């Protein structure tokens, strides 16, 4: 998997990290990321998916309901969110690679409250894998890597960078997933005593 530590330490940029990658690399990295997320779900029980963890730092400024701004996310919520974000990056990257000018967001998120079983989480991850890999099939043989747009933060985003931002976002949630699973497992073990 890509090591995003230098990006987080501001030693490099996502653009620099992505510059040397190819669509084949993006395929491999997508496979590795989905496999890593699925590995975190190996011992998860259905009740873990809706378990509400302790998360005193919970802050979702994009929540549509103000009451949910500080809501701790369930495992189902995180899986729905992170797959939607990575898919958005993948499909925007495909459009950029085809020479289409950036036209705004391209996002759909499965309703997280419907994510109630571990099988649904696994299915959502596999579906996301399939969709992200399929998006790479949309790239032309000679992608328009010079087709860029400037983000709100002033960053120049090309197709490779756009795709890698999705992987970075996934990576940002790996520890959160592991922590939710840890807390849920501990709660189950305590309830069994």
């Amino acid at each position: 998997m890509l090591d995003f530590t230098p990006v987080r330490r501001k030693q490099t940029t996502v653009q620099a990290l992505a510059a040397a990658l190819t669509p084949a690399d993006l395929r491999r990295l997508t496979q590795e990321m989905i496999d890593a997320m699925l590995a975190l779900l190996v011992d998860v029980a259905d009740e873990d998916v809706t378990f509400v963890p302790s998360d005193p730092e919970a802050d979702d400024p994009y929540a549509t309901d103000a009451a949910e701004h500080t809501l701790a996310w369930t495992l189902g919520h995180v899986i729905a969110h992170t797959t939607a974000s990575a898919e958005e990056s993948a499909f925007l990257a495909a459009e950029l690679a085809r020479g289409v000018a950036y036209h705004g967001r391209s996002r759909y998120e499965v309703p997280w409250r419907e994510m109630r079983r571990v099988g649904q989480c696994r299915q959502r991850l596999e579906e996301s894998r399939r969709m992200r890999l399929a998006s790479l099939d949309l790239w032309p043989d000679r992608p328009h890597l010079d087709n860029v747009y400037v983000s709100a933060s002033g960053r120049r985003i090309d197709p490779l960078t756009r795709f890698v931002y999705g992987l970075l976002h996934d990576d940002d949630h790996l520890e959160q997933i592991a922590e939710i699973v840890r807390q849920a497992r501990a709660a189950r073990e305590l309830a069994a005593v």
Side-chain angles (χ1 to χ4, degrees), residues 15-31:
Q15 291 81 353
L17 192 64
L21 299 175
T22 66
D25 294 325
L26 299 178
R27 282 184 183 287
R28 176 183 51 79
L29 293 165
T30 297
Q31 297 279 18

Side-chain angles (χ1 to χ4, degrees), residues 132-147:
R132 294 186 220 183
L133 294 175
S135 78
L136 291 166
D137 288 336
L138 299 172
W139 287 46
D141 293 340
R142 295 176 63 199
H144 297 261
L145 298 179
D146 59 344
N147 186 17

